[in-house]
Amino acid sequence: MMIASAGICHAAFAQTSQTGTSRATLAGEVAHAQRMRMLFPDAARGGQAVPPVIPKLEIDPDRSGAIATVQPNGPTVTAGNAFFGVLGTNGRSCFTCHQPQDGWSLSAKDARARFAVDPDAPLFRLVDGATCASDDVSTPEAKRKAYGLLLQKGLIRIALPMPSQALQFEIIGVDDPYDCNTSPTTGLTSPGSGIVSVYRRPLPATNLGFLSTIMWDGREPDLFSQAADATLGHAQATAPPSLAQQRQIVAFEGCTQAATPAACANIPPQSGVFSAQIFDDQALDLDDGADGGPVSLPQQLTQYFIGVNDPLGNNPRSIPFTPKIFSLYDQWNGAWAGPRQSFSKAAARAAIARGEQVFNTVKINITGVGGLNDALGKPSIPGFCSTCHDTPAIGDHSVKAPLNIGVADAGANSPPGLDIAGLPVFTIWCKAGPLAGQILTVTDPGRALITGQCADIGKLKGPILRGLAARAPYFHNGSAASLRVVVEFYDRRFTIGLTDQQKADLVAFLNAL
């Protein structure tokens, strides 16, 4: 379903060039991490186990079955590979926050397990693992409190400078239980200057060839830059990784078409890791007569291009949008017609197939989405789940499309059913631009910290959906503990009217991605 003309939609989704502001943000982010290294040196020196080899096919158990990772150019020997190497001063590597059992992200459950084994492990570092770099970690109980958001919701602290150019807003109030934003040493120095600390989930370091946007707020131009900035920031290195090390990291992850072609010129085709759920505790093998698992993803990448299935007319090949972006479990349709109480393999497979149909076909009246309804001047837009999760077989945005669906809202507009307890709340006054005079209350200013524009407050990208079961909790701020909570949020947020069975089926399908 086309919901607007290509010209109007291009105006809505096209991103104003923010190269200068992005570079300033990244430089400020790194500078803050380095400053924290000097002001609050980390005494923790725990180590981290690294497997000697990441095999061509790896299968790891997760909360609903098992997730698998395939490497077309694998296996990977980790010794001497920069992705697994300690390149900084605090014992961390890329592998610290990106491991296969968590879908190459970080689950809160895994963070708790690692803390129980060693609270001094590299994951637990003041720079971003703690709620603030100045936190007290002198006792076991103090450490548990300092790393509370990491342990409870899998969140790390992202410290970004207030934009210095074209700033349309001021932060006129912060309710921060950690005093990180309110202290001039670690946070804001005025309503329009200083550092803003928000707390976000680590994004997966897998299936990256399908990315249209790098980072939640799109601040990184390519994975080479991201590798360098992460090493200087999260690992607090004193120098960036060499170009050869950056190339090694990106080759392991897989280069994305969101970057310029030159950035990936020396990366082998179909390089990287591809991950998806391969086993379900009830439906069993997800590739048994179906297309679950990651094996087909490298081939899917050969058919992918930016805008591949954009619903708003930004497809460079002018291919019409289809809401049917998933057909993994078509062959399981009608696998079971017995009572819903049955937990047989056939019943579970039928539920997954029905959930896939719910995702593809149930109509949603899209309202109040920043970056969509307001940009198009349409208070109501008929759509589907796939209107925003449009990349075939993957489920992220196929174009750069930061949207505000309300997950970052706070106060009177707090998102229905989501747990935002423990997150700082920012009161933001728009002093210029189209929203001048408005006051917004959010837990995360989102892309506005990059652009300085009020219209971007709360806007973030939608992540890739494959491998969801392994990386709970969900949304950028970990506010949904389970996929059932995610489904309930969308149902209430957009008044979809899903039945209990549709909700259960949709959860079963999402767990099978």
Side-chain angles (χ1 to χ4, degrees):
M1 175 185 293
M2 293 301 292
I3 59 180
S5 71
I8 294 175
C9 293
H10 180 75
F13 274 66
Q15 297 297 296
T16 302
S17 176
Q18 297 291 343
T19 302
T21 53
S22 290
R23 287 175 178 168
T25 298
L26 295 168
E29 182 182 12
V30 168
H32 175 78
Q34 293 294 330
R35 182 166 171 262
M36 294 301 99
R37 178 172 64 88
M38 302 301 293
L39 289 177
F40 305 106
D42 217 313
R45 288 291 181 268
Q48 174 179 315
V50 176
V53 174
I54 304 297
K56 191 177 183 72
L57 175 65
E58 173 164 341
I59 300 176
D60 296 282
D62 60 30
R63 63 192 299 168
S64 70
I67 187 169
T69 294
V70 65
Q71 297 182 81
N73 297 327
T76 295
V77 176
T78 59
N81 187 295
F83 185 93
F84 303 90
V86 176
L87 306 181
T89 62
N90 59 16
R92 283 179 167 178
S93 68
C94 304
F95 189 67
T96 301
C97 293
H98 302 281
Q99 298 194 0
Q101 74 275 9
D102 294 335
W104 294 98
S105 176
L106 172 68
S107 69
K109 179 181 179 182
D110 193 31
R112 291 191 293 271
R114 289 156 75 174
F115 186 84
V117 172
D118 182 8
D120 289 331
L123 178 61
F124 307 104
R125 292 293 180 264
L126 287 169
V127 63
D128 56 15
T131 55
C132 197
S134 59
D135 282 352
D136 173 23
V137 290
S138 61
T139 66
E141 187 55 37
K143 287 180 181 179
R144 187 173 296 277
K145 180 180 178 182
Y147 299 115
L149 286 181
L150 179 55
L151 298 173
Q152 296 158 19
K153 297 181 178 180
L155 300 176
I156 61 170
R157 184 174 74 101
I158 305 297
L160 302 175
M162 285 285 283
S164 58
Q165 301 176 20
L167 183 61
Q168 295 181 350
F169 63 87
E170 291 183 352
I171 296 178
I172 59 175
V174 187
D175 181 3
D176 187 348
Y178 318 110
D179 295 324
C180 205
N181 286 285
T182 52
S183 167
T185 303
T186 56
L188 292 164
T189 53
S190 78
S193 64
I195 296 293
V196 178
S197 286
V198 293
Y199 302 85
R200 297 174 183 169
R201 299 281 289 114
L203 283 159
T206 185
N207 302 323
L208 297 191
F210 300 100
L211 288 184
S212 58
T213 305
I214 302 171
M215 312 301 283
W216 285 107
D217 51 22
R219 67 186 183 275
E220 288 285 3
D222 57 54
L223 291 173
F224 286 82
S225 172
Q226 191 275 330
D229 291 331
T231 302
L232 290 167
H234 301 308
Q236 294 179 298
T238 57
S242 67
L243 181 58
Q245 289 172 323
Q246 292 175 44
R247 185 174 294 117
Q248 200 171 45
I249 292 170
V250 175
F252 176 76
E253 295 174 329
C255 208
T256 170
Q257 295 184 39
T260 60
C264 298
N266 296 311
I267 304 300
Q270 293 190 8
S271 66
V273 289
F274 299 83
S275 304
Q277 195 77 355
I278 197 169
F279 183 84
D280 181 87
D281 286 336
Q282 296 179 21
L284 305 184
D285 294 326
L286 295 173
D287 57 356
D288 179 14
D291 200 20
V295 174
S296 65
L297 290 178
Q299 180 59 37
Q300 188 74 25
L301 184 60
T302 65
Q303 305 168 33
Y304 173 74
F305 54 89
I306 297 296
V308 60
N309 189 43
D310 176 56
L312 303 182
N314 293 313
N315 188 318
R317 301 182 188 177
S318 300
I319 302 172
F321 167 72
T322 173
K324 186 178 180 178
I325 71 157
F326 286 112
S327 57
L328 308 177
Y329 300 107
D330 280 359
Q331 295 183 65
W332 285 359
N333 279 314
W336 179 253
R340 285 171 50 194
Q341 292 79 8
S342 173
F343 289 99
S344 70
K345 177 179 72 173
R349 291 182 175 185
I352 290 172
R354 290 194 303 267
E356 184 174 64
Q357 289 184 320
V358 170
F359 190 97
N360 289 332
T361 65
V362 168
K363 295 180 179 179
I364 300 175
N365 184 31
I366 301 172
T367 59
V369 174
L372 189 56
N373 295 98
D374 55 349
L376 296 176
K378 293 181 175 289
S380 176
I381 297 172
F384 309 87
C385 294
S386 50
T387 300
C388 293
H389 299 278
D390 60 271
T391 304
I394 305 299
D396 65 335
H397 299 312
S398 66
V399 297
K400 294 181 184 296
L403 300 176
N404 179 7
I405 62 171
V407 174
D409 286 347
N413 295 320
S414 293
L418 300 185
D419 177 16
I420 60 172
L423 297 174
V425 175
F426 303 91
T427 302
I428 303 177
W429 170 57
C430 294
K431 63 181 183 178
L435 302 182
Q438 292 194 27
I439 294 179
L440 306 174
T441 306
V442 294
T443 57
D444 191 329
R447 186 163 168 76
L449 289 176
I450 313 303
T451 67
Q453 298 178 11
C454 271
D456 286 335
I457 292 173
K459 286 183 182 177
L460 296 157
K461 77 167 186 176
I464 286 171
L465 298 184
R466 301 306 293 265
L468 280 174
R471 59 179 200 258
Y474 304 101
F475 293 126
H476 74 277
N477 55 13
S479 56
S482 69
L483 288 172
R484 179 65 186 224
V485 176
V486 171
V487 170
E488 293 283 1
F489 164 77
Y490 278 107
D491 187 53
R492 293 173 62 182
R493 167 64 177 81
F494 295 106
T495 320
I496 302 172
L498 296 173
T499 66
D500 286 343
Q501 179 172 343
Q502 285 177 318
K503 292 175 184 178
D505 292 344
L506 187 52
V507 169
F509 167 65
L510 294 174
N511 271 317
L513 287 175

